[in-house]
Amino acid sequence: MASIFTKIINGEIPCYKIAEDDSYFAFLDINPISEGHTLVVPKKEVDYIFDLEDEVLTGLMNFSKKVALGIDEALGTIRTGVIVEGMEVPHAHVHLVPIYFEGQPVSLGRKTEVSKERMEELAQLIGKAVKA
Ligand code: AMP
């Protein structure tokens, strides 16, 4: 059965889309650690990130870099953190977590309330700042 992320990529489930190319797709995490928390996934569905072919893994990190720099530019972060865990959704993905101040807690257990309107705005702001 297709993963929830494959359904998002195929447009069967809605998301706050940020960017995509032929091989990768980025969208906001619906349970954000901080405003702008983004997931980057390969379109090819593989559960464990270290089972990805080398070139797919490299491409995933290169695409994540573009999106992270867009987050930094759009949201005025001090940097964007990277988390890979993958225990909930069996489709390899990178979490990009905007860090706004020193000492900001950055871990997957934490959640920030963000309204639907703000999620839409964040996706637009970041999407515009991601360089092709
Ligand atoms: P993990 O597999 O533990 O690395 O985390 C999976 C992440 O996917 C969690 O942070 C969820 O909030 C996120 N997530 C699950 N379903 C959706 C969805 N439909 N749209 C956006 N993010 C999702």
Side-chain angles (χ1 to χ4, degrees):
M1 198 180 76
S3 77
I4 190 160
F5 291 167
T6 293
K7 290 180 180 164
I8 286 174
I9 291 163
N10 292 338
E12 294 162 28
I13 290 180
C15 73
Y16 299 98
K17 181 179 163 183
I18 288 174
E20 72 175 313
D21 70 6
D22 288 347
S23 304
Y24 306 99
F25 194 95
F27 56 103
L28 292 180
D29 193 305
I30 41 160
N31 298 301
I33 296 172
S34 64
E35 283 199 355
H37 176 179
T38 296
L39 300 174
V40 185
V41 304
K43 289 186 175 177
K44 183 176 177 186
E45 185 179 325
V46 170
D47 176 359
Y48 182 37
I49 193 165
F50 294 126
D51 282 335
L52 292 171
E53 292 157 16
D54 288 355
E55 60 272 26
V56 179
L57 178 59
T58 303
L60 177 64
M61 293 316 293
N62 289 341
F63 195 77
S64 298
K65 175 180 172 179
K66 280 188 200 173
V67 175
L69 293 176
I71 290 172
D72 292 339
E73 185 181 312
L75 305 184
T77 61
I78 55 172
R79 65 177 54 194
T80 287
V82 179
I83 301 174
V84 175
E85 194 218 64
M87 295 309 293
E88 184 187 321
V89 178
H91 184 147
H93 54 280
V94 172
H95 293 258
L96 298 177
V97 184
I99 302 175
Y100 296 98
F101 57 91
E102 278 188 39
Q104 176 188 312
V106 178
S107 66
L108 287 180
R110 303 191 70 91
K111 301 293 171 218
T112 298
E113 281 300 316
V114 183
S115 69
K116 186 175 180 300
E117 292 72 26
R118 180 65 177 153
M119 291 286 273
E120 281 163 3
E121 185 181 36
L122 288 163
Q124 266 205 347
L125 287 170
I126 299 167
K128 273 192 212 151
V130 174
K131 312 277 186 290

mmCIF file of all heavy atoms in Angstrom, residues 15-19 26-28 36 38 70-71 73-75 116-130:
data_model
loop_
_atom_site.group_PDB
_atom_site.id
_atom_site.type_symbol
_atom_site.label_atom_id
_atom_site.label_comp_id
_atom_site.label_asym_id
_atom_site.label_seq_id
_atom_site.Cartn_x
_atom_site.Cartn_y
_atom_site.Cartn_z
ATOM 1 N N CYS A 15 -1.720 18.879 1.182
ATOM 2 C CA CYS A 15 -0.562 19.248 2.002
ATOM 3 C C CYS A 15 -0.278 20.726 1.796
ATOM 4 O O CYS A 15 -0.837 21.353 0.895
ATOM 5 C CB CYS A 15 0.665 18.422 1.625
ATOM 6 S SG CYS A 15 1.405 18.902 0.044
ATOM 7 N N TYR A 16 0.584 21.258 2.646
ATOM 8 C CA TYR A 16 1.088 22.620 2.469
ATOM 9 C C TYR A 16 2.398 22.483 1.690
ATOM 10 O O TYR A 16 3.475 22.374 2.265
ATOM 11 C CB TYR A 16 1.313 23.291 3.819
ATOM 12 C CG TYR A 16 0.053 23.412 4.652
ATOM 13 C CD1 TYR A 16 -0.226 22.486 5.665
ATOM 14 C CD2 TYR A 16 -0.859 24.434 4.422
ATOM 15 C CE1 TYR A 16 -1.378 22.585 6.428
ATOM 16 C CE2 TYR A 16 -2.021 24.545 5.187
ATOM 17 C CZ TYR A 16 -2.270 23.615 6.186
ATOM 18 O OH TYR A 16 -3.420 23.719 6.942
ATOM 19 N N LYS A 17 2.261 22.479 0.380
ATOM 20 C CA LYS A 17 3.421 22.204 -0.486
ATOM 21 C C LYS A 17 4.396 23.378 -0.518
ATOM 22 O O LYS A 17 3.983 24.544 -0.571
ATOM 23 C CB LYS A 17 2.927 21.915 -1.906
ATOM 24 C CG LYS A 17 4.041 21.602 -2.873
ATOM 25 C CD LYS A 17 3.487 21.301 -4.249
ATOM 26 C CE LYS A 17 4.596 21.393 -5.280
ATOM 27 N NZ LYS A 17 4.081 21.172 -6.636
ATOM 28 N N ILE A 18 5.675 23.042 -0.540
ATOM 29 C CA ILE A 18 6.713 24.066 -0.623
ATOM 30 C C ILE A 18 7.425 24.017 -1.965
ATOM 31 O O ILE A 18 7.571 25.040 -2.623
ATOM 32 C CB ILE A 18 7.709 23.891 0.545
ATOM 33 C CG1 ILE A 18 6.992 24.329 1.826
ATOM 34 C CG2 ILE A 18 8.980 24.703 0.325
ATOM 35 C CD1 ILE A 18 7.746 24.099 3.072
ATOM 36 N N ALA A 19 7.888 22.852 -2.372
ATOM 37 C CA ALA A 19 8.648 22.764 -3.620
ATOM 38 C C ALA A 19 8.724 21.317 -4.057
ATOM 39 O O ALA A 19 8.556 20.391 -3.251
ATOM 40 C CB ALA A 19 10.071 23.293 -3.407
ATOM 41 N N ALA A 26 8.813 18.639 -1.106
ATOM 42 C CA ALA A 26 8.911 19.255 0.230
ATOM 43 C C ALA A 26 7.581 19.880 0.616
ATOM 44 O O ALA A 26 6.945 20.548 -0.196
ATOM 45 C CB ALA A 26 10.010 20.319 0.238
ATOM 46 N N PHE A 27 7.186 19.671 1.865
ATOM 47 C CA PHE A 27 5.906 20.187 2.371
ATOM 48 C C PHE A 27 6.013 20.354 3.875
ATOM 49 O O PHE A 27 6.884 19.770 4.530
ATOM 50 C CB PHE A 27 4.757 19.225 2.008
ATOM 51 C CG PHE A 27 4.952 17.807 2.479
ATOM 52 C CD1 PHE A 27 4.275 17.329 3.588
ATOM 53 C CD2 PHE A 27 5.835 16.949 1.828
ATOM 54 C CE1 PHE A 27 4.459 16.017 4.037
ATOM 55 C CE2 PHE A 27 6.033 15.643 2.263
ATOM 56 C CZ PHE A 27 5.343 15.184 3.366
ATOM 57 N N LEU A 28 5.096 21.167 4.435
ATOM 58 C CA LEU A 28 5.142 21.421 5.877
ATOM 59 C C LEU A 28 4.685 20.206 6.663
ATOM 60 O O LEU A 28 3.721 19.520 6.274
ATOM 61 C CB LEU A 28 4.236 22.604 6.236
ATOM 62 C CG LEU A 28 4.671 23.983 5.747
ATOM 63 C CD1 LEU A 28 3.655 25.030 6.206
ATOM 64 C CD2 LEU A 28 6.068 24.349 6.240
ATOM 65 N N GLY A 36 7.305 26.547 10.269
ATOM 66 C CA GLY A 36 8.080 26.303 9.053
ATOM 67 C C GLY A 36 8.732 24.927 9.012
ATOM 68 O O GLY A 36 9.444 24.608 8.047
ATOM 69 N N THR A 38 9.568 21.539 8.044
ATOM 70 C CA THR A 38 9.337 21.021 6.684
ATOM 71 C C THR A 38 9.836 19.591 6.573
ATOM 72 O O THR A 38 10.832 19.212 7.204
ATOM 73 C CB THR A 38 10.096 21.929 5.683
ATOM 74 O OG1 THR A 38 9.531 23.240 5.745
ATOM 75 C CG2 THR A 38 10.020 21.410 4.265
ATOM 76 N N GLY A 70 16.129 28.294 1.723
ATOM 77 C CA GLY A 70 14.893 29.053 1.501
ATOM 78 C C GLY A 70 14.196 29.364 2.822
ATOM 79 O O GLY A 70 13.695 30.473 3.030
ATOM 80 N N ILE A 71 14.172 28.384 3.714
ATOM 81 C CA ILE A 71 13.576 28.606 5.048
ATOM 82 C C ILE A 71 14.332 29.730 5.750
ATOM 83 O O ILE A 71 13.732 30.671 6.295
ATOM 84 C CB ILE A 71 13.637 27.305 5.892
ATOM 85 C CG1 ILE A 71 12.678 26.258 5.339
ATOM 86 C CG2 ILE A 71 13.343 27.600 7.357
ATOM 87 C CD1 ILE A 71 12.807 24.868 5.995
ATOM 88 N N GLU A 73 16.134 32.132 4.539
ATOM 89 C CA GLU A 73 15.903 33.440 3.911
ATOM 90 C C GLU A 73 14.486 33.961 4.207
ATOM 91 O O GLU A 73 14.296 35.126 4.547
ATOM 92 C CB GLU A 73 16.094 33.319 2.391
ATOM 93 C CG GLU A 73 15.994 34.662 1.684
ATOM 94 C CD GLU A 73 16.157 34.501 0.177
ATOM 95 O OE1 GLU A 73 17.101 33.813 -0.262
ATOM 96 O OE2 GLU A 73 15.321 35.073 -0.548
ATOM 97 N N ALA A 74 13.514 33.069 4.116
ATOM 98 C CA ALA A 74 12.117 33.514 4.251
ATOM 99 C C ALA A 74 11.748 33.832 5.694
ATOM 100 O O ALA A 74 10.941 34.738 5.935
ATOM 101 C CB ALA A 74 11.182 32.417 3.717
ATOM 102 N N LEU A 75 12.315 33.104 6.642
ATOM 103 C CA LEU A 75 11.810 33.190 8.015
ATOM 104 C C LEU A 75 12.787 33.826 8.995
ATOM 105 O O LEU A 75 12.468 33.967 10.187
ATOM 106 C CB LEU A 75 11.394 31.795 8.507
ATOM 107 C CG LEU A 75 10.377 31.046 7.616
ATOM 108 C CD1 LEU A 75 9.984 29.723 8.254
ATOM 109 C CD2 LEU A 75 9.129 31.897 7.375
ATOM 110 N N LYS A 116 -4.097 27.228 10.398
ATOM 111 C CA LYS A 116 -4.145 26.845 8.989
ATOM 112 C C LYS A 116 -3.693 28.022 8.107
ATOM 113 O O LYS A 116 -2.929 27.842 7.161
ATOM 114 C CB LYS A 116 -5.598 26.454 8.670
ATOM 115 C CG LYS A 116 -5.842 25.896 7.320
ATOM 116 C CD LYS A 116 -7.307 25.453 7.204
ATOM 117 C CE LYS A 116 -7.626 24.866 5.859
ATOM 118 N NZ LYS A 116 -7.409 25.754 4.728
ATOM 119 N N GLU A 117 -4.164 29.220 8.461
ATOM 120 C CA GLU A 117 -3.822 30.412 7.663
ATOM 121 C C GLU A 117 -2.313 30.651 7.695
ATOM 122 O O GLU A 117 -1.698 30.963 6.679
ATOM 123 C CB GLU A 117 -4.551 31.655 8.210
ATOM 124 C CG GLU A 117 -6.057 31.637 8.033
ATOM 125 C CD GLU A 117 -6.785 30.645 8.947
ATOM 126 O OE1 GLU A 117 -6.252 30.325 10.037
ATOM 127 O OE2 GLU A 117 -7.872 30.170 8.562
ATOM 128 N N ARG A 118 -1.710 30.505 8.873
ATOM 129 C CA ARG A 118 -0.267 30.726 8.998
ATOM 130 C C ARG A 118 0.502 29.613 8.265
ATOM 131 O O ARG A 118 1.531 29.887 7.646
ATOM 132 C CB ARG A 118 0.119 30.782 10.487
ATOM 133 C CG ARG A 118 1.593 31.007 10.743
ATOM 134 C CD ARG A 118 2.100 32.352 10.269
ATOM 135 N NE ARG A 118 3.520 32.535 10.614
ATOM 136 C CZ ARG A 118 4.355 33.304 9.946
ATOM 137 N NH1 ARG A 118 3.941 34.011 8.904
ATOM 138 N NH2 ARG A 118 5.614 33.412 10.326
ATOM 139 N N MET A 119 0.003 28.377 8.311
ATOM 140 C CA MET A 119 0.652 27.283 7.573
ATOM 141 C C MET A 119 0.649 27.610 6.073
ATOM 142 O O MET A 119 1.668 27.431 5.388
ATOM 143 C CB MET A 119 -0.071 25.958 7.820
ATOM 144 C CG MET A 119 0.076 25.402 9.220
ATOM 145 S SD MET A 119 1.697 24.699 9.590
ATOM 146 C CE MET A 119 1.491 23.007 9.017
ATOM 147 N N GLU A 120 -0.464 28.107 5.577
ATOM 148 C CA GLU A 120 -0.543 28.468 4.151
ATOM 149 C C GLU A 120 0.456 29.569 3.829
ATOM 150 O O GLU A 120 1.163 29.527 2.823
ATOM 151 C CB GLU A 120 -1.969 28.922 3.804
ATOM 152 C CG GLU A 120 -2.908 27.748 3.618
ATOM 153 C CD GLU A 120 -4.390 28.123 3.676
ATOM 154 O OE1 GLU A 120 -4.714 29.328 3.810
ATOM 155 O OE2 GLU A 120 -5.214 27.199 3.604
ATOM 156 N N GLU A 121 0.518 30.562 4.739
ATOM 157 C CA GLU A 121 1.442 31.686 4.533
ATOM 158 C C GLU A 121 2.896 31.209 4.565
ATOM 159 O O GLU A 121 3.716 31.590 3.726
ATOM 160 C CB GLU A 121 1.193 32.722 5.631
ATOM 161 C CG GLU A 121 1.984 33.993 5.481
ATOM 162 C CD GLU A 121 1.701 34.976 6.611
ATOM 163 O OE1 GLU A 121 1.495 34.552 7.764
ATOM 164 O OE2 GLU A 121 1.697 36.178 6.341
ATOM 165 N N LEU A 122 3.220 30.343 5.532
ATOM 166 C CA LEU A 122 4.590 29.825 5.653
ATOM 167 C C LEU A 122 4.997 29.061 4.395
ATOM 168 O O LEU A 122 6.103 29.230 3.876
ATOM 169 C CB LEU A 122 4.695 28.903 6.871
ATOM 170 C CG LEU A 122 4.653 29.591 8.239
ATOM 171 C CD1 LEU A 122 4.342 28.571 9.335
ATOM 172 C CD2 LEU A 122 5.973 30.303 8.529
ATOM 173 N N ALA A 123 4.103 28.211 3.903
ATOM 174 C CA ALA A 123 4.418 27.415 2.707
ATOM 175 C C ALA A 123 4.687 28.341 1.515
ATOM 176 O O ALA A 123 5.617 28.104 0.733
ATOM 177 C CB ALA A 123 3.285 26.448 2.404
ATOM 178 N N GLN A 124 3.897 29.393 1.414
ATOM 179 C CA GLN A 124 4.085 30.342 0.304
ATOM 180 C C GLN A 124 5.407 31.084 0.434
ATOM 181 O O GLN A 124 6.162 31.224 -0.529
ATOM 182 C CB GLN A 124 2.956 31.364 0.313
ATOM 183 C CG GLN A 124 1.811 30.979 -0.589
ATOM 184 C CD GLN A 124 1.039 32.211 -1.039
ATOM 185 O OE1 GLN A 124 1.221 33.290 -0.492
ATOM 186 N NE2 GLN A 124 0.200 32.037 -2.024
ATOM 187 N N LEU A 125 5.689 31.579 1.649
ATOM 188 C CA LEU A 125 6.917 32.352 1.888
ATOM 189 C C LEU A 125 8.153 31.503 1.603
ATOM 190 O O LEU A 125 9.089 31.949 0.924
ATOM 191 C CB LEU A 125 6.971 32.828 3.349
ATOM 192 C CG LEU A 125 6.026 33.953 3.757
ATOM 193 C CD1 LEU A 125 6.033 34.129 5.287
ATOM 194 C CD2 LEU A 125 6.437 35.262 3.073
ATOM 195 N N ILE A 126 8.147 30.284 2.127
ATOM 196 C CA ILE A 126 9.321 29.410 1.933
ATOM 197 C C ILE A 126 9.423 29.020 0.460
ATOM 198 O O ILE A 126 10.503 29.077 -0.133
ATOM 199 C CB ILE A 126 9.233 28.153 2.829
ATOM 200 C CG1 ILE A 126 9.197 28.533 4.309
ATOM 201 C CG2 ILE A 126 10.433 27.235 2.556
ATOM 202 C CD1 ILE A 126 8.800 27.379 5.245
ATOM 203 N N GLY A 127 8.290 28.639 -0.125
ATOM 204 C CA GLY A 127 8.293 28.216 -1.526
ATOM 205 C C GLY A 127 8.888 29.279 -2.441
ATOM 206 O O GLY A 127 9.685 28.968 -3.338
ATOM 207 N N LYS A 128 8.532 30.528 -2.177
ATOM 208 C CA LYS A 128 9.055 31.622 -3.017
ATOM 209 C C LYS A 128 10.553 31.803 -2.843
ATOM 210 O O LYS A 128 11.237 32.259 -3.752
ATOM 211 C CB LYS A 128 8.367 32.936 -2.628
ATOM 212 C CG LYS A 128 7.072 33.169 -3.348
ATOM 213 C CD LYS A 128 6.603 34.611 -3.147
ATOM 214 C CE LYS A 128 5.100 34.665 -3.150
ATOM 215 N NZ LYS A 128 4.541 35.727 -2.364
ATOM 216 N N ALA A 129 11.059 31.461 -1.653
ATOM 217 C CA ALA A 129 12.483 31.697 -1.357
ATOM 218 C C ALA A 129 13.375 30.531 -1.799
ATOM 219 O O ALA A 129 14.606 30.673 -1.790
ATOM 220 C CB ALA A 129 12.655 31.953 0.143
ATOM 221 N N VAL A 130 12.771 29.409 -2.147
ATOM 222 C CA VAL A 130 13.592 28.255 -2.587
ATOM 223 C C VAL A 130 14.059 28.507 -4.013
ATOM 224 O O VAL A 130 13.253 28.694 -4.913
ATOM 225 C CB VAL A 130 12.783 26.937 -2.506
ATOM 226 C CG1 VAL A 130 13.587 25.780 -3.095
ATOM 227 C CG2 VAL A 130 12.405 26.640 -1.049
#
